[in-house]
C-alpha cells in the first residue's frame, strides 16, 4: 500500500523546550511555530506561564510555506484537508503553500492536551474541533500582523493581510509571513480573537484541492503495513477463531527450523504468533504450526441459534426505553386495525483494505509504536499498559490509515503487538494480521431484529407506534462505562425524541421505542454509521408500509407526520424534488422510493429509482439531500456522500457475516463481497445548508441508501424485503 519507509535505530522522540521547539530542530531552516491561549467555555488552549513547552498549530517557513498541525486522524474521509481549511481561512494564508503535520498523542499530553481530543469517529473530526482550530489560525494571524506592524513602527489597525502578505495601507509597504515569523514567535498570544463570519470565507466553504492526495497517487505514502525499520522482524498472529475461545497448545518445535523463523510465542490466552524475518516466512510457518484450540461453550453457536434468541427478545420484558410518549401499548391493545412487521439486520465486517498492523519496539526503558489508529490517546494507554511502562516513556507515532470505518476505534491490535514486542526486546517488530485473521477477528456491526406495530384510525392516521429492537449492544462491549440504567444510548440513534444529534423526524401521538438487549459471543464494534443504519431501514421501510396500508402516497404520508420537524422535512422535499417525485413520472419500468433520517448532527434523505426485470435489480439513480449546517468543502461532501452509498448499498446487496460452530464463516473477499462498478447507480448530491450548526458528513447518508432502494423495490414488485442482504432474496417470486 505504498513504498516502504526505512528509519534508523535512533528514533526516540524528544520533548523540546519552548524556545527549542520554536527554533530548535528547525533553527537552520528558520522554522517558527505559534501557540495560543484564550479562554473558551471555561477552558483554555493551555499555555501555562513559565512552561518550557509551546502550543503549536501553525509553522511558518522562510519560503512562506505554512505547516498546519492536525490532531485528528485521516483515513480517506478528508478531515485533514477540512481542518487545514479552517485554520488557513482564519490565518489568511495562501492555500497553495499549505502543508500538514500529524500530532502524536504523547506530545499532546506533554503540552497539557493543547490539541484536545484526538479521537476520530462518529463524523466528529471537524464538527468536534472546528471552533478551537479556527481560533488557532486567527491567533497566529494576529501575531504575524502585529510583528509586521512593530517592524514598521505603525499601528496594528493600519495593516491588512491577504494570502500571507501583510500590507501597510497608508504607505503601501508589504511583507510576507515568512519574513516576520521570527519576530511573531516572540510575541504574547492575543487574549481574545474574533472568528470570521462563514459568509466571508474564501478558503473554507470552497472546493479546494486536498492536501493529502499527491503521495497517495505517486506511491510515496507509507501506511502501517509498509513501514520498515532497520533490524525489524515481522510477527503474524493467530487467535482462537471462536471469540472467547482459548489457546490450548501449540508445537513450536514443528516450525522453529523453518527458514527465517526467529520465535514462536504465546501472546495471551487466545493467541499464538510466529516471528520471522519476513511476513511471508512468518505466515508460512504459522500455517504449518500445529495448534489446538479450546473453543469453549460458544462452539455450538450458529446464526440460527443467535436469531432464535433475538426472536425471543421481540416479546420479552425490558426496561431499556429510548423514546416514549403517551401509552402506545394501551392504544395498540384496543386498536381495531394494527399493522405489524418484523425486520432483521445481519453482522457486517469493517473489512478495510489495510489489514490491522502495528510496529512496536520495546526496551526496559521505553516503548514506541508506529501505526494507524483512530484513537491515538487510547492507543497510547494500551501501549503503556501492555509495555508495563509509564505513559511518559511511551509514544504512538500516528500514521494515515488505509481504511478503517470504525475498526481502529478498538486498540486490541496495539495490545497484541506490544505483548509480542515485549518478548523480543530491543528489536522493532511489525505485527501484521493476515486477511483471514482480520476478517475472523473483526468487531462486527451488531446483529439485530426489530418488530414494529402501529395502529391506524379510520382516516389512515397513525394512532400509536411500538418499535422493539432486539439485539446486541455495541457499547456494552466497547465502552461499558457509558451504559446506563436505560441500557445503551447508541442503540436508539435516529430514534430519539429530540436533540441535535440523532432525533426522530416524525411525531406520533403515542410512541414506544425500546430495546431488548442480547449479546452473543461475537464481538461487536462501531461499523461505519453504527446503529443508524438498521434503525433507518426499520423505521423508513415500516413508515412506507403504513403509507401503503393507509392508501396514501408515501411523500404525502410522511409530510403529515413531519409537520413539526422542518429540517427533516426540508431534506426529504429536496431529495423528492431532485428526482422529480411529483412533477414527472420515471421511465417505463422504473420505480421510486424515499427515505430520511437524522444522524451525527445532520439531516439526510434519499430518493431512489430502480427497476426489477426477471428478478434482477437495477439501481438506476439516487438523489441524496443533506443539511449539515455549514458546508466546509462542497467537493468533499459530494465525494463522501457518493462513497457512503457504496457502503450502504454493499451492505444491502451482499453484506452478511454468518456464524457456524461458533466461528465467522466469511474469511476473505470471495465470500464477503462488496458492490461492483456495474451495480453502482448514478448519485446526485444536493446540499441544503442552513448554517447555525456543524453536522457530520461521512456517515449519515449510509443509513438512507438501503431503505430508499427497498421502498422502490416494493413499488416495482409489490414485495416487502425485511431481511438483509438481497443476495438471499428472490426478487422474481411473489
Amino acid at each position: 500500500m505504498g513504498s516502504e519507509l526505512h528509519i534508523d535505530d535512533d528514533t526516540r522522540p524528544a520533548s523540546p523546550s519552548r524556545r527549542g521547539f520554536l527554533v530548535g530542530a528547525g533553527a537552520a531552516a528558520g522554522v517558527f511555530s505559534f501557540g495560543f491561549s484564550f479562554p473558551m467555555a471555561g477552558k483554555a488552549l493551555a499555555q501555562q506561564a513559565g512552561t518550557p513547552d509551546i502550543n503549536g498549530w501553525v509553522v511558518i517557513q522562510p519560503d512562506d510555506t505554512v505547516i498546519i498541525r492536525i490532531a485528528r486522524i485521516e483515513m480517506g474521509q478528508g478531515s485533514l484537508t477540512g481542518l487545514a481549511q479552517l485554520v488557513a481561512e482564519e490565518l489568511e494564508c495562501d492555500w497553495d503553500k499549505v502543508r500538514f503535520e500529524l500530532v502524536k498523542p504523547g506530545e499532546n499530553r506533554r503540552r497539557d492536551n493543547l490539541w484536545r481530543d484526538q479521537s476520530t469517529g462518529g463524523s466528529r473530526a471537524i464538527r468536534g474541533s472546528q471552533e478551537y482550530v479556527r481560533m488557532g489560525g486567527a491567533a497566529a494571524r494576529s501575531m504575524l500582523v502585529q510583528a509586521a506592524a512593530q517592524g514598521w513602527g505603525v499601528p496594528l489597525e493600519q495593516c491588512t493581510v491577504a494570502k500571507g502578505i501583510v500590507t501597510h495601507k497608508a504607505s503601501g509597504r508589504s511583507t510576507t509571513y515568512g519574513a516576520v515569523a521570527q519576530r511573531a514567535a516572540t510575541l504574547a498570544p492575543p487574549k481574545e480573537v474574533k472568528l470570521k463570519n462563514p459568509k466571508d470565507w474564501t478558503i473554507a466553504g470552497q472546493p479546494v484541492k486536498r492536501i493529502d492526495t499527491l503521495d497517495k497517487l505517486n506511491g510515496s505514502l507509507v501506511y502501517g503495513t509498509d513501514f520498515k525499520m532497520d533490524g525489524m522482524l515481522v510477527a503474524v498472529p493467530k487467535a482462537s477463531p471462536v471469540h472467547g475461545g482459548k489457546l490450548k497448545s501449540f508445537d513450536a518445535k514443528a516450525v522453529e527450523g523453518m527458514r527465517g523463523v526467529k520465535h514462536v510465542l504465546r501472546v495471551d490466552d487466545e493467541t499464538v504468533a510466529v516471528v520471522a524475518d519476513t511476513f511471508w516466512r512468518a505466515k508460512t510457518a504459522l500455517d504449518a504450526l500445529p495448534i489446538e484450540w479450546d473453543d469453549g461453550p460458544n462452539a455450538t453457536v450458529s446464526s440460527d441459534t443467535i436469531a432464535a434468541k433475538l426472536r425471543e427478545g421481540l416479546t420479552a420484558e425490558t426496561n431499556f426505553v429510548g423514546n416514549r410518549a403517551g401509552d402506545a401499548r394501551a392504544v395498540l391493545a384496543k386498536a381495531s386495525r394494527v399493522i405489524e412487521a418484523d425486520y432483521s439486520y445481519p453482522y457486517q465486517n469493517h473489512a478495510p483494505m489495510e489489514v490491522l498492523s502495528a510496529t512496536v519496539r520495546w526496551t526496559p526503558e521505553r516503548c514506541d509504536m508506529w501505526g494507524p489508529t483512530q484513537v491515538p490517546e487510547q492507543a497510547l494507554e494500551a501501549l503503556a499498559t501492555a509495555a508495563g511502562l509509564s505513559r511518559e516513556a511511551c509514544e504512538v507515532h500516528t500514521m494515515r490509515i488505509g481504511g478503517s470505518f470504525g475498526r481502529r476505534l478498538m486498540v486490541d491490535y496495539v495490545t497484541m503487538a506490544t505483548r509480542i514486542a515485549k518478548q523480543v526486546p530491543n528489536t522493532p517488530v511489525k505485527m501484521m494480521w493476515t486477511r483471514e485473521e482480520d476478517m475472523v477477528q473483526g468487531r462486527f456491526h451488531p446483529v439485530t431484529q426489530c418488530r414494529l406495530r402501529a395502529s391506524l384510525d379510520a382516516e389512515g392516521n397513525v394512532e400509536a407506534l411500538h418499535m422493539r429492537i432486539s439485539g446486541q449492544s455495541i457499547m456494552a462491549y466497547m465502552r461499558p462505562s457509558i451504559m446506563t440504567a436505560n441500557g445503551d444510548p447508541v442503540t436508539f440513534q435516529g430514534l430519539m425524541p429530540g436533540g441535535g444529534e440523532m432525533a426522530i423526524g416524525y411525531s406520533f401521538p403515542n410512541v414506544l421505542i425500546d430495546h431488548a438487549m442480547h449479546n452473543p459471543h461475537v464481538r461487536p464494534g462501531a461499523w461505519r454509521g453504527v446503529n443508524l443504519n438498521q434503525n433507518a431501514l426499520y423505521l423508513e421501510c415500516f413508515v412506507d408500509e403504513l403509507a401503503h396500508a393507509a392508501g396514501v402516497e408515501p411523500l404525502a404520508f410522511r409530510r403529515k407526520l413531519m409537520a413539526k420537524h422542518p429540517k427533516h422535512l426540508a431534506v426529504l422535499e429536496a431529495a423528492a424534488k431532485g428526482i422529480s417525485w411529483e412533477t414527472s413520472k420515471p421511465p417505463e419500468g422504473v420505480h421510486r422510493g424515499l427515505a430520511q433520517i437524522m444522524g451525527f448532527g445532520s439531516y439526510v434523505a434519499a430518493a431512489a429509482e430502480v427497476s426489477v426485470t426477471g428478478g434482477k435489480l437495477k439501481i438506476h439513480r439516487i438523489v441524496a439531500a443533506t443539511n449539515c449546517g455549514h458546508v466546509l468543502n462542497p467537493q468533499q461532501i459530494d465525494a463522501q456522500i457518493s462513497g457512503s452509498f457504496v457502503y450502504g448499498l454493499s451492505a444491502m446487496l451482499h453484506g452478511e457475516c454468518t456464524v457456524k460452530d461458533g466461528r465467522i464463516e466469511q474469511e476473505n473477499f470471495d465470500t464477503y463481497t462488496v458492490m461492483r462498478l456495474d451495480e453502482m447507480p448514478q448519485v446526485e448530491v444536493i446540499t441544503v445548508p442552513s448554517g447555525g450548526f456543524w453536522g457530520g458528513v461521512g456517515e449519515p447518508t449510509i443509513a438512507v441508501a438501503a431503505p430508499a432502494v427497498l421502498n422502490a423495490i416494493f413499488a416495482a414488485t409489490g414485495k416487502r424485503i425485511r431481511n438483509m442482504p438481497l443476495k438471499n432474496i428472490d426478487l422474481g417470486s411473489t
Side-chain angles (χ1 to χ4, degrees), residues 126-163:
I126 290 171
R127 64 191 179 114
S129 53
Q130 53 82 21
E131 184 178 38
Y132 58 81
V133 301
R134 287 193 289 157
M135 286 185 170
R141 180 193 70 236
S142 175
M143 295 163 71
L144 288 158
V145 175
Q146 183 181 353
Q150 286 182 355
W152 292 325
V154 300
L156 176 66
E157 295 74 18
Q158 294 182 6
C159 298
T160 61
V161 61
K163 289 193 172 183

Coordinates of all heavy atoms in Angstrom, one line a residue, residues 126-163:
I126 N -14.3 17.2 12.3 CA -14.4 18.7 12.1 C -15.4 19.3 13.0 O -15.0 20.3 13.7 CB -14.7 18.9 10.6 CG1 -13.5 18.6 9.7 CG2 -15.1 20.4 10.4 CD1 -13.8 18.6 8.2
R127 N -16.5 18.8 13.1 CA -17.5 19.4 14.0 C -17.2 19.4 15.4 O -17.6 20.3 16.2 CB -18.9 18.8 13.8 CG -19.1 17.4 14.2 CD -20.4 16.8 13.7 NE -20.6 15.4 14.0 CZ -21.5 14.9 14.9 NH1 -22.3 15.8 15.5 NH2 -21.6 13.7 15.1
G128 N -16.3 18.5 15.9 CA -15.9 18.5 17.2 C -14.7 19.4 17.6 O -14.4 19.5 18.8
S129 N -14.1 19.9 16.6 CA -12.9 20.8 16.8 C -12.8 22.1 16.0 O -11.9 22.8 16.1 CB -11.6 20.0 16.6 OG -11.6 19.4 15.3
Q130 N -13.9 22.3 15.3 CA -13.9 23.5 14.3 C -13.6 24.8 15.0 O -12.9 25.7 14.5 CB -15.1 23.5 13.5 CG -16.4 23.5 14.3 CD -16.9 24.8 14.8 OE1 -16.4 25.9 14.3 NE2 -17.7 24.8 15.8
E131 N -14.2 25.0 16.2 CA -14.0 26.3 16.9 C -12.6 26.6 17.3 O -12.0 27.6 17.0 CB -15.0 26.4 18.1 CG -14.9 27.8 18.8 CD -15.9 27.9 19.9 OE1 -16.1 26.9 20.7 OE2 -16.5 29.0 20.1
Y132 N -12.0 25.6 18.0 CA -10.7 25.9 18.6 C -9.6 25.9 17.5 O -8.6 26.6 17.6 CB -10.3 25.1 19.8 CG -10.4 23.6 19.7 CD1 -9.3 22.9 19.1 CD2 -11.4 22.9 20.1 CE1 -9.3 21.5 19.1 CE2 -11.4 21.5 20.1 CZ -10.4 20.8 19.5 OH -10.4 19.4 19.5
V133 N -9.8 25.1 16.4 CA -8.7 25.2 15.4 C -8.8 26.5 14.6 O -7.8 27.1 14.2 CB -8.8 24.0 14.4 CG1 -8.7 22.7 15.1 CG2 -10.1 24.0 13.6
R134 N -10.0 27.0 14.5 CA -10.2 28.3 13.8 C -9.5 29.4 14.7 O -8.9 30.3 14.2 CB -11.6 28.7 13.6 CG -12.3 27.9 12.5 CD -13.6 28.4 12.1 NE -14.6 28.2 13.1 CZ -15.7 28.9 13.2 NH1 -16.0 29.9 12.5 NH2 -16.6 28.6 14.2
M135 N -9.7 29.3 16.0 CA -9.1 30.2 17.0 C -7.6 30.2 16.8 O -6.9 31.2 16.9 CB -9.5 29.9 18.4 CG -10.9 30.3 18.7 SD -11.3 30.1 20.5 CE -12.9 30.9 20.6
G136 N -7.0 29.0 16.6 CA -5.6 28.8 16.4 C -5.1 29.6 15.2 O -4.1 30.3 15.3
G137 N -5.8 29.5 14.1 CA -5.4 30.2 12.9 C -5.6 31.7 13.1 O -4.7 32.5 12.7
A138 N -6.7 32.1 13.8 CA -6.9 33.6 14.0 C -5.8 34.2 14.9 O -5.4 35.3 14.6 CB -8.3 33.8 14.6
A139 N -5.4 33.5 15.9 CA -4.4 34.0 16.8 C -3.1 34.1 16.1 O -2.3 35.1 16.3 CB -4.3 33.1 18.0
A140 N -2.7 33.1 15.3 CA -1.5 33.2 14.5 C -1.5 34.4 13.6 O -0.5 35.1 13.4 CB -1.3 31.9 13.8
R141 N -2.6 34.6 12.9 CA -2.7 35.8 12.0 C -2.5 37.1 12.8 O -1.7 38.0 12.4 CB -4.1 35.8 11.4 CG -4.3 37.0 10.4 CD -5.7 37.2 10.0 NE -6.5 37.7 11.2 CZ -7.6 37.1 11.6 NH1 -8.0 36.0 11.1 NH2 -8.2 37.7 12.7
S142 N -3.1 37.2 14.0 CA -2.9 38.4 14.8 C -1.5 38.6 15.1 O -1.0 39.8 15.0 CB -3.8 38.3 16.0 OG -3.6 39.4 16.9
M143 N -0.8 37.6 15.5 CA 0.6 37.7 15.9 C 1.5 38.1 14.7 O 2.4 38.9 14.9 CB 1.1 36.4 16.6 CG 0.4 36.1 17.9 SD 0.5 34.3 18.4 CE 2.2 34.3 18.9
L144 N 1.2 37.5 13.6 CA 2.1 37.8 12.4 C 1.8 39.2 11.9 O 2.8 40.0 11.6 CB 1.7 36.8 11.3 CG 2.2 35.4 11.5 CD1 1.4 34.4 10.7 CD2 3.7 35.3 11.1
V145 N 0.6 39.7 11.9 CA 0.3 41.1 11.5 C 0.9 42.0 12.6 O 1.5 43.1 12.2 CB -1.2 41.3 11.4 CG1 -1.5 42.8 11.1 CG2 -1.7 40.4 10.2
Q146 N 0.8 41.7 13.8 CA 1.4 42.6 14.9 C 2.9 42.7 14.7 O 3.5 43.7 14.9 CB 1.1 42.0 16.2 CG 1.6 42.9 17.4 CD 1.3 42.3 18.8 OE1 0.5 41.3 18.9 NE2 1.8 42.9 19.8
A147 N 3.6 41.5 14.3 CA 5.0 41.5 14.1 C 5.4 42.5 13.0 O 6.4 43.2 13.1 CB 5.5 40.1 13.9
A148 N 4.6 42.4 11.9 CA 4.9 43.3 10.8 C 4.7 44.8 11.2 O 5.5 45.7 10.9 CB 4.0 43.0 9.6
A149 N 3.6 45.1 11.9 CA 3.3 46.4 12.3 C 4.4 47.0 13.2 O 4.9 48.1 13.1 CB 2.0 46.5 13.0
Q150 N 4.9 46.2 14.2 CA 6.0 46.6 15.0 C 7.3 46.9 14.2 O 8.0 47.8 14.5 CB 6.3 45.5 16.1 CG 5.2 45.4 17.2 CD 5.5 44.4 18.2 OE1 6.5 43.7 18.1 NE2 4.7 44.3 19.3
G151 N 7.5 46.0 13.3 CA 8.7 46.2 12.4 C 8.7 47.6 11.7 O 9.7 48.2 11.5
W152 N 7.5 48.0 11.3 CA 7.3 49.2 10.6 C 7.1 50.4 11.5 O 7.1 51.6 11.1 CB 6.2 49.1 9.6 CG 6.4 48.2 8.4 CD1 7.5 47.9 7.8 CD2 5.4 47.4 7.8 NE1 7.3 47.0 6.8 CE2 6.0 46.6 6.8 CE3 4.0 47.2 8.0 CZ2 5.3 45.7 6.0 CZ3 3.3 46.3 7.2 CH2 4.0 45.6 6.2
G153 N 6.8 50.1 12.8 CA 6.5 51.2 13.7 C 5.2 51.8 13.4 O 5.1 53.1 13.6
V154 N 4.2 51.0 13.0 CA 2.9 51.6 12.7 C 1.8 50.9 13.5 O 2.1 49.8 14.0 CB 2.6 51.4 11.2 CG1 3.6 52.1 10.3 CG2 2.5 49.9 10.8
P155 N 0.7 51.5 13.7 CA -0.4 50.8 14.5 C -0.9 49.6 13.7 O -1.0 49.5 12.5 CB -1.5 51.9 14.5 CG -0.8 53.2 14.2 CD 0.3 52.9 13.3
L156 N -1.2 48.6 14.5 CA -1.7 47.3 14.0 C -3.0 47.5 13.1 O -3.1 46.9 12.1 CB -2.1 46.4 15.2 CG -2.7 45.0 14.9 CD1 -1.7 44.2 14.1 CD2 -3.2 44.3 16.1
E157 N -3.8 48.5 13.5 CA -5.1 48.7 12.8 C -4.8 49.2 11.3 O -5.8 49.1 10.5 CB -5.9 49.7 13.5 CG -6.4 49.2 14.9 CD -5.3 49.2 15.9 OE1 -4.3 49.9 15.7 OE2 -5.5 48.5 17.0
Q158 N -3.6 49.7 11.0 CA -3.4 50.2 9.7 C -2.9 49.1 8.7 O -2.6 49.4 7.6 CB -2.3 51.3 9.8 CG -2.8 52.6 10.5 CD -1.8 53.7 10.5 OE1 -0.7 53.6 9.8 NE2 -2.1 54.8 11.2
C159 N -2.8 47.9 9.2 CA -2.3 46.8 8.4 C -3.4 45.8 8.0 O -4.3 45.5 8.8 CB -1.2 46.0 9.2 SG 0.2 47.1 9.6
T160 N -3.3 45.3 6.8 CA -4.2 44.2 6.3 C -3.3 43.0 5.9 O -2.1 43.2 5.7 CB -5.0 44.7 5.2 OG1 -4.2 45.1 4.1 CG2 -5.9 45.9 5.6
V161 N -4.0 41.9 5.7 CA -3.3 40.7 5.2 C -4.2 39.9 4.3 O -5.4 39.9 4.4 CB -2.9 39.8 6.4 CG1 -4.1 39.3 7.2 CG2 -2.0 38.6 5.9
A162 N -3.6 39.4 3.3 CA -4.3 38.5 2.3 C -3.2 37.6 1.7 O -2.1 38.0 1.3 CB -4.9 39.3 1.2
K163 N -3.6 36.3 1.7 CA -2.7 35.2 1.1 C -1.3 35.3 1.7 O -0.3 35.1 1.0 CB -2.7 35.3 -0.4 CG -4.0 34.9 -1.0 CD -3.8 34.6 -2.5 CE -5.1 34.0 -3.1 NZ -5.0 33.7 -4.5

